[in-house]
Each structure stands twice: as structure tokens, then as C-alpha cells.
Amino acid sequence: MAPSDQSRHSLVPGFLYSSKTLSHLSNNTNHGLPLLPSSSSSLPAQNGAKNPVILSPKEKIRMFSPAYYGACSAGGVFSCGLTHMAVTPLDLVKCNMQIDPVKYKNITSGFGVLLKEQGAKGFFRGWVPTLLGYSAQGACKFGFYEFFKKYYSDLAGAENAVKYKTIIYLAGSASAEVIADIALCPMEAVKVRVQTQPGFARGLSDGLPKFIKAEGFSGLYKGIVPLWGRQIPYTMMKFASFETVVEMIYKNVIPIPKEKCSKNKQLGVSFAAGYIAGVLCAVVSHPADNLVSFLNNAKGATIGDAVKKIGVVGLFTRGLPLRIVMIGTLTGAQWGLYDSFKVFVGLPTTGGSAPAPVK
């Protein structure tokens, strides 16, 4: 195969997006996508060939263009920021159960204690840093995942990209989450402090200055390592299991190809696969979640202090049932909202049927 042909084949690995225009591999059309000459591309043409422009199915956004990654990032803001803010009451109870299990014995009593001490308004304590932090994280998480998934697929080549697609999902999501957590960490630190220390601050506006005054700017990133420990396995499971479950649903449950399913049915698949992925995510990342809550609540605490205080078994079990409910619902809603946004701007939903091998 000539270098130009290899370039054409690796440009869009067939498994990245399954839609009528993207799901069929073809030696003549770059995996089923029409190649159109670009008059605006700044990239030099190779061997005299014109650079291709890949359009999304509704021809609103060019696939893998800056506008495409921008749209994916916007979808990430929409899905992560709003969903995390919506489950602030559950997150508030969960954090307090992790910090003070004697006082907050279970979900029901936890809500009762908060209602008695802080009133109904207390259930949304910390919603502003939650919204801002997870909006920034969502933009980086989804935008960079799409970027790294394409980048690693091109590095692997068309055949290996299909053969080792799960590894690409894992590597792409891990790379994206490293960046996303840098954006999230300061807001997560303030959120936990506001939610678990009554009287510390009303919210972000007074909580952030107090936090910086007490621990310095570097204190905002004190929890970055356990945050990576929580979020990277979570995100790897979230994306890889989602893509795998979507593929399995279209292969084994729905008797018709994805391309012939209605958009509503496709979005229903996204939510169902997202919920299943979320349950797996909660279990995998829960020990690190307990560490993050402990470190951000206790000034000067270390990971060793947390393990000694909570115990190894406690790291895996304290607050887990509530977090399974919360993360399962959250992740299902995130994938549903994310793919809804993609459909709205003319892009295909994420995941789909496994492609035929490149011949």
C-alpha cells in the first residue's frame, strides 16, 4: 500500500463513529467517508493529493476539525456540569458519610441530619464550585478524549486501531482525564471543604479566598494525586465500558443496525450503556474517592493518615451504595446528554457496531 493510501485509511478508523457514512470500511472511500477537496486547509498536500475534508453526517461540522473538538468540549460542559450540579444533595450526603460515618450512618439518616441542621437550602451547599469545576472537567474530558482517540488510532494504523480498539479507548480516556483533573482540582477542594465543614463558608465566593488564605494556592492541588487515582480509573472504565456495551447492545439486543435506528432509540442506548458503565466506574474508583474527601476535609492530612483512620475495608465500602446509585444515574445521564448535544449539532452518537476488518 502506498503511503498516501495508508494516510487515507488511518484518517478515520471505522470504529470511531458508527453512522451510515462512517460505519463501512472501503478501500475507495476512506472507510465509507467521501473525501472532498479542502480549499481552506493549511496542511500541505502530500504527493500532490488534495487534503480531504470529512463532514459529519448532516454536513454541519467537519469531523475531527477544530470545530468538531470544540463541539465535543461544549457537549462535555453540558453533560458533566449540569448533571453533577443536579446530584449535589446526594454528593453532599456521600461526602459527609465518608468524613463522619458515626453522625451520618446511612443515606436516610444523612438526609435527616442535613435537613435538621441546615434546612432544605443546605442540600445544595457547594453547588457553584460543583458546576464550575465539573463543567471545566467535562470540557477537557470529552474534548480531549475525542482528540486522543483519533490521535492514537492514527498512530496505530487502520488494522491495529480496529484490533486494539479497547486499548485505544483506555489510553485516550486516561490521557484526557489527566488534563481534566487539573481543571477540576481547585473547585473540588473548595467544594469538599464547604460541604463537610459547616460554618467554613457559604459557597465559592467566600470559600475560595478562605481556603487559599489557610493553605495557600498550592493547597488547592493537595488532592490532585488521589483525584487522579479516583478519576483516571473511573474515566477509563467509563469510556471503554460504554463503548463496549454500546457495541454489544447493537450486536446482540437490537435486531437492526444502528444506522436504521431512530435517534431516540440511539439515545436510549447511550443512556442504558452509560448507566451500566457508571456502576462499574463507582466500584473501581471508590477507594480513591474516600481519600479525596478525607484529604480535602482535614488540613495537613496525608494518604497514610486517611488509610489509618478509615481502614482498608472502609476505603472500599464506606458510602459505596449511595455512590453506585449516584454515579450510575450520573454517568447514564451524562452520556445521554452528551450524545443528545452531538445529535443537535449534526454529529453521530458515540459508539456502535464493530467494523469489518480492513482488507
Side-chain angles (χ1 to χ4, degrees), residues 295-355:
L295 292 176
N296 284 327
N297 178 70
K299 182 178 179 180
T302 65
I303 293 177
D305 295 332
V307 175
K308 184 177 180 181
K309 176 76 173 180
I310 300 173
V312 175
V313 175
L315 287 175
F316 283 88
T317 60
R318 183 180 292 181
L320 180 59
L322 178 56
R323 192 159 184 266
I324 286 177
V325 174
M326 186 182 82
I327 297 299
T329 305
L330 191 73
T331 307
Q334 284 178 354
W335 278 113
L337 288 170
Y338 178 65
D339 275 349
S340 295
F341 185 87
K342 290 175 72 176
V343 168
F344 176 75
V345 298
L347 294 169
T349 57
T350 310
S353 303

Side-chain angles (χ1 to χ4, degrees), residues 154-171:
D154 284 346
L155 287 180
E159 293 188 21
N160 286 331
V162 174
K163 185 177 180 180
Y164 301 108
K165 60 182 182 292
T166 301
I167 295 176
I168 289 174
Y169 299 150
L170 293 170

Side-chain angles (χ1 to χ4, degrees), residues 9 19 58 67 86 127 142 144 149 173 200 220 241 244 333 335 346:
H9 276 295
S19 70
K58 293 185 180 180
W127 73 269
F142 283 93
F144 279 108
K149 186 167 65 169
S173 56
F200 172 75
L220 293 171
S241 60
T244 301
W335 278 113

Side-chain angles (χ1 to χ4, degrees), residues 7 13 23 27 131 191 245 258:
S7 174
S23 63
N27 289 333
L131 175 63
K191 175 189 79 74
V245 171
K258 175 183 175 180

Side-chain angles (χ1 to χ4, degrees), residues 242 245-246 249-250 253-254 258 261-276 331-333 335-337 339-340 343 349-350:
F242 172 83
V245 171
V246 168
I249 289 175
Y250 283 116
V253 179
I254 298 178
K258 175 183 175 180
C261 294
S262 67
K263 290 300 181 185
N264 286 338
K265 182 174 286 188
Q266 291 183 31
L267 293 174
V269 170
S270 294
F271 176 81
Y275 198 98
I276 294 170
T331 307
W335 278 113
L337 288 170
D339 275 349
S340 295
V343 168
T349 57
T350 310

